[in-house]
Amino acid sequence: MKILLLVLTIYAGVFASTKVYERSIRIGTYHTQEIAQDALEKLQAYVARHPRIIELQEKHHFIFKKRESGKYFITLAEPFRDKQVLEEVASILRKRYPDLYISHVTQPSVDKIVSTQEKVKKKESFETQEKETLKEVEDKKIPALEVIEKHEKKVEPQVKIVEKVVEKVILKEVKTPIDSIYTTLFYISLGVIFILILVIVFFKKRMSTLLYEQEREAENYKMLQKGLRNKEKLISYVSHELRTPMTAIQGLVHLVLESKLSKEQKDYLQKIDTSSVYMLNLLNDILDLSKIEAGKLEIYHSEFNIHDIVQYVYNVVSIKAKQNNVNLTICIEQDVPSKIIGDSLRLGQVLINLTSNAVKFTKDGDVTLHVSKKKNHAEEVTLTFSVEDTGIGMEEDEVKKLFHSYYQANGSIAKEYGGTGLGLNISQQLVEMMGGKIHVKSKKEKGTTFSFTLTFSLKDSQNKRQYRLPSANLLNKSVLIIDANNKNAIQLIQAFRYFKYKVETHASFETLDNFVENQYDIIVVNVQAINQKNLDILHEMQKVSQTKIVILNELYNTLQESIDEKIDVDAYFKPPITTQSVLNLIIELFIPKETQTITQEKSLKEQLKGYKGRKILVVEDNKLNFRVISGILEGTGIEVDLADNGEEALYKLQEDKEYDLVLMDINMPVMNGYEATAEIRKIEKLSKIPILALSADVSAEAIRKSFKSGMQGHLSKPINVDEFYSKIIEQFRFIYKPLTKDEERYEVLHVKNALVHVSNDVNAYKNMLIDFQLLYVNISATLYELCTDSDFELAIHKIIELKETAKKIGAFPLVTHLEKMEKEFLKTENGLWKKELEELHTLLTKLFDEIQRYIK
């Protein structure tokens, strides 16, 4: 019996703890019962007009009713045990009753139900007995007393039986202590079960609450994501619309700056250009902030030269530095690797933000960008970047809020210095995405230092000496530096001494003794130390010896013409002063100009002149933008044609006139850029023509769509002229024209394409071929030895070096094979490399034979 009771108790507990999904729809709340009744009738009339609700009601048995709720009366529909049915009914009702809401159905507890049922049963039993008794009295007309005595006699035997049973049970309980133990255990078990039931009920309720909260959070997240997408679309649209006129402004300014102008006109135009660059940077900041919030900003890794990034930062910030009378100094320690692998774009963005911020809050002071090596391990290097200024500084509480969006230290600073407060917030997030953290030290009226560390990969970790002189003839030079600026002098001393040069430094000409008799290979003079007397001294020194005169001047100095009239200046040297820039200076001074055309790259526009006669189709609906593109390419000999939209471009491309490249705008009437590109790729004879997107939409999605539609690249508006030239050159390099009869006898050497890189200078090209043959005549044997010793890492390095040189001489089949070799060598599988080396040896034998035939 006790076991049965235990099972029933457990069942009742579990049943009580099982919570069925039951919801109600609360439709309206009213002050009086009459108003609620009237509202219910209207509700029922509305329901009658919707057969779908009636159909669901018949199937799922919910009802529309009114009931009292506290001081008020409510109309509602319940119960709903199916979530889908609930949502469908609610969506229909919400059209008429937008303020309805959904709540749980209030259910009485199990104890209350049982208690009520027992009371009802007792009441019914009592009423039945009472009716029977009254009926008996009425029928037999027995006095009430006799009826009572009669009942007492009937009950008396039963009472005696119950008394005997109770007496036996009590005696039995007293006499059997084992039963007492069982009873105790039974009650303990009941207690434990009761506690377990409470725990289950609690957790069931908690789970139900958590599920409800999770549903709400999921719904809120969806709404948030939708809001972010809409925000990103709006920002992207605004950015696109602003970039379109900016293309015309920056492009036309660039064209006018290339013409003859007065100093005043040039200054005005440079200010317009600077302002447009600032506006473009602000647009980029807003776009980046939107991408970061949406989690869509990506970090890319590629090899770059740290000096190129620092030079770019200096060029962007130096104009503002000059306006604020700020001495902007760049210091890159000599042990910092020149080439590293990381996200150059985001690093440059952070450095520009921090440096321009330092310049903005500094007047008549110093700003220093310092790059140093923190540690070096295996194939990685950790660099520390710091930007130090002597500006207005900040209090400690201002530093804590510094990286908040749109924050500036106080209102007066915002009015005086301007800005949005976005730059530092974006910089902090970009640094963290690249694996670093920004630190700030600041003291009011003393200055501020921002610093961060980042880890980069190294492509060539074995390259111990980063900067090499190209010839032994450039060793053992003597240098005289005349500069009153200690920072400039120190940087020049360190850079020249890196190359083992003897360096002598003076603050002015007045401190020099016997300067005419002393023999110097290089004299570096700060332009501020030059006057008429000093120009005469330099002129005399040039007569006595072959001294190279270098003028150290500012980025936008106007004294160049007057100095050139007095002395022969060999080079003008502009900041920033780094080991790389000094190496470039030495090469410029001592390597003949005709040799430099072979060993150094020409300006991008000069390189484009080598593609004279090529034809470009510009698909652009904005005539002003077309004028800008035509102006940028003017003087290169490249023909430019216009199509107003994608449909017209398709028509022109199918004519007999051949184009070598298509620049495709995206947003155009009639047929957009994506559609036009897709149609072009369907035509067999046009399937290989290179197409570059030219669009103000710089979002990752737009770039992906460009490539997906069949384009080879993406150029952004406003046009960055250097990037524009580079992309066109890159595409032209891979357009191989049919070989002439003279060239058909060469299998490996593509002479016509290679001559483009040296402006069709045949002698220069022949010299390159001779150098190639001397350098790589034993490369097959060298690679065989390295692979035999399992030194695949160094072998890969040699292959990459050979591949880059092979590109320059036009040995494209060799380049293709070397790319394949590089992939195979990365696997370091023994045996396979021998086959690759055999093929390489065969190709090189053919190439050397063709080189000999061409040279003769």
Side-chain angles (χ1 to χ4, degrees), residues 265-519:
Q265 288 172 329
K266 201 164 189 176
D267 182 56
Y268 290 155
L269 284 167
Q270 283 169 348
K271 285 176 180 175
I272 292 171
D273 192 43
T274 305
S275 299
S276 63
V277 169
Y278 172 78
M279 185 174 177
L280 191 60
N281 288 336
L282 181 60
L283 277 174
N284 291 336
D285 281 348
I286 294 168
L287 271 175
D288 284 343
L289 187 65
S290 173
K291 287 177 186 175
I292 291 168
E293 286 177 352
K296 292 184 178 179
L297 191 74
E298 297 177 6
I299 299 296
Y300 298 96
H301 294 86
S302 60
E303 189 178 38
F304 65 93
N305 192 319
I306 189 72
H307 294 273
D308 294 342
I309 299 300
V310 171
Q311 179 73 55
Y312 175 68
V313 172
Y314 186 90
N315 292 345
V316 171
V317 181
S318 58
I319 300 171
K320 183 66 177 176
K322 186 181 178 183
Q323 291 171 354
N324 284 8
N325 195 27
V326 169
N327 181 29
L328 180 59
T329 306
I330 305 292
C331 181
I332 302 176
E333 297 293 340
Q334 291 176 351
D335 61 347
V336 172
S338 57
K339 289 189 176 181
I340 53 180
I341 298 172
D343 195 325
S344 58
L345 176 67
R346 300 305 173 190
L347 175 61
Q349 191 176 348
V350 171
L351 291 176
I352 286 171
N353 275 336
L354 295 181
T355 310
S356 60
N357 196 68
V359 168
K360 181 168 69 172
F361 294 106
T362 304
K363 296 283 176 70
D364 305 318
D366 296 294
V367 172
T368 304
L369 169 57
H370 189 267
V371 185
S372 61
K373 184 169 76 172
K374 186 178 181 183
K375 59 182 177 180
N376 209 138
H377 47 87
E379 301 294 318
E380 292 183 336
V381 63
T382 301
L383 302 180
T384 299
F385 300 85
S386 65
V387 179
E388 184 179 357
D389 67 63
T390 58
I392 61 174
M394 291 175 287
E395 300 287 358
E396 192 176 339
D397 59 331
E398 292 173 342
V399 172
K400 291 177 182 176
K401 302 174 186 175
L402 192 61
F403 293 105
H404 294 177
S405 297
Y406 308 103
Y407 174 79
Q408 288 194 331
N410 57 58
S412 61
I413 286 176
K415 287 178 184 177
E416 184 178 352
Y417 296 96
T420 60
L422 279 174
L424 289 177
N425 175 263
I426 291 168
S427 296
Q428 182 190 42
Q429 295 190 65
L430 288 176
V431 168
E432 287 176 357
M433 288 178 74
M434 290 188 285
K437 187 176 181 181
I438 290 185
H439 302 279
V440 188
K441 290 180 182 177
S442 188
K443 197 171 182 181
K444 196 71 175 176
E445 305 301 333
K446 296 290 183 182
T448 305
T449 301
F450 289 88
S451 64
F452 61 93
T453 57
L454 292 175
T455 300
F456 300 92
S457 300
L458 292 171
K459 189 173 184 179
D460 183 13
S461 59
Q462 302 300 319
N463 191 356
K464 301 294 183 184
R465 195 169 180 83
Q466 295 291 333
Y467 315 99
R468 292 183 176 88
L469 293 170
S471 171
N473 296 329
L474 301 182
L475 297 171
N476 304 316
K477 302 288 183 184
S478 60
V479 183
L480 171 64
I481 299 168
I482 301 172
D483 195 339
N485 186 318
N486 285 332
K487 286 191 174 181
N488 285 346
I490 290 168
Q491 286 182 298
L492 284 167
I493 291 167
Q494 289 175 343
F496 279 114
R497 282 181 178 169
Y498 179 87
F499 302 105
K500 310 301 181 186
Y501 282 17
K502 295 176 183 177
V503 184
E504 186 180 333
T505 179
H506 292 271
S508 66
F509 282 90
E510 284 70 23
T511 59
L512 278 169
D513 295 323
N514 301 320
F515 45 81
V516 177
E517 289 78 9
N518 290 339
Q519 298 291 317

Side-chain angles (χ1 to χ4, degrees), residues 15-51:
F15 178 79
S17 66
T18 304
K19 200 162 187 177
V20 180
Y21 179 89
E22 283 196 351
R23 300 288 187 275
S24 67
I25 301 175
R26 304 291 178 90
I27 300 165
T29 305
Y30 307 95
H31 290 285
T32 64
Q33 189 172 356
E34 290 77 14
I35 297 171
Q37 181 61 38
D38 185 50
L40 179 62
E41 289 171 1
K42 289 178 180 178
L43 171 62
Q44 288 169 341
Y46 177 75
V47 169
R49 293 197 298 272
H50 291 80

Side-chain angles (χ1 to χ4, degrees), residues 508-535:
S508 66
F509 282 90
E510 284 70 23
T511 59
L512 278 169
D513 295 323
N514 301 320
F515 45 81
V516 177
E517 289 78 9
N518 290 339
Q519 298 291 317
Y520 299 103
D521 296 296
I522 305 170
I523 298 178
V524 182
V525 185
N526 191 312
V527 71
Q528 295 176 358
I530 291 180
N531 53 37
Q532 185 58 50
K533 181 183 175 182
N534 297 337
L535 285 173

Side-chain angles (χ1 to χ4, degrees), residues 45-233:
Y46 177 75
V47 169
R49 293 197 298 272
H50 291 80
R52 179 58 181 162
I53 297 180
I54 295 167
E55 182 186 336
L56 291 170
Q57 192 175 10
E58 289 173 355
K59 189 175 179 180
H60 295 279
H61 311 294
F62 57 87
I63 59 170
F64 293 89
K65 62 180 182 179
K66 66 172 178 62
R67 70 172 172 79
E68 190 176 356
S69 178
K71 295 180 180 180
Y72 302 97
F73 295 87
I74 62 172
T75 55
L76 68 161
E78 65 176 15
F80 290 92
R81 297 183 177 86
D82 188 309
K83 188 177 179 182
Q84 240 177 339
V85 174
L86 171 74
E87 289 175 350
E88 188 176 352
V89 174
S91 66
I92 297 170
L93 292 174
R94 198 171 273 115
K95 294 175 184 177
R96 175 71 179 273
Y97 302 96
D99 296 328
L100 66 78
Y101 63 96
I102 296 162
S103 68
H104 291 269
V105 174
T106 306
Q107 293 182 340
S109 66
V110 173
D111 292 342
K112 278 188 176 181
I113 292 170
V114 172
S115 176
T116 306
Q117 288 174 345
E118 286 177 356
K119 286 179 182 178
V120 168
K121 285 179 181 177
K122 285 179 180 179
K123 187 176 179 182
E124 287 174 353
S125 175
F126 177 76
E127 286 175 351
T128 304
Q129 287 181 8
E130 188 177 23
K131 284 177 182 178
E132 287 177 357
T133 306
L134 288 171
K135 188 179 179 182
E136 189 176 346
V137 170
E138 189 176 344
D139 292 342
K140 296 183 181 181
K141 297 181 181 179
I142 301 172
L145 187 59
E146 289 180 3
V147 172
I148 292 167
E149 287 176 355
K150 188 177 179 182
H151 278 287
E152 281 179 354
K153 286 178 182 179
K154 285 181 181 180
V155 172
E156 189 175 355
Q158 293 175 3
V159 170
K160 286 180 180 180
I161 292 167
V162 170
E163 285 176 353
K164 285 179 182 180
V165 170
V166 170
E167 187 179 354
K168 284 180 181 180
V169 169
I170 291 169
L171 288 171
K172 191 175 182 182
E173 291 291 335
V174 173
K175 289 176 183 178
T176 55
I178 294 172
D179 282 354
S180 177
I181 293 169
Y182 282 135
T183 305
T184 305
L185 289 172
F186 170 72
Y187 286 116
I188 291 171
S189 301
L190 275 181
V192 171
I193 291 165
F194 179 72
I195 292 167
L196 286 172
I197 290 167
L198 287 177
V199 169
I200 292 168
V201 170
F202 172 77
F203 278 108
K204 283 265 186 181
K205 189 175 181 181
R206 180 65 180 157
M207 283 296 293
S208 178
T209 306
L210 286 173
L211 285 170
Y212 178 68
E213 288 175 359
Q214 193 176 5
E215 286 175 7
R216 284 183 59 189
E217 284 176 6
E219 192 173 343
N220 290 337
Y221 178 75
K222 285 179 184 176
M223 291 176 69
L224 180 64
Q225 287 291 98
K226 187 179 179 182
L228 284 172
R229 282 195 297 271
N230 291 337
K231 179 184 174 184
E232 191 179 359
K233 283 179 184 175

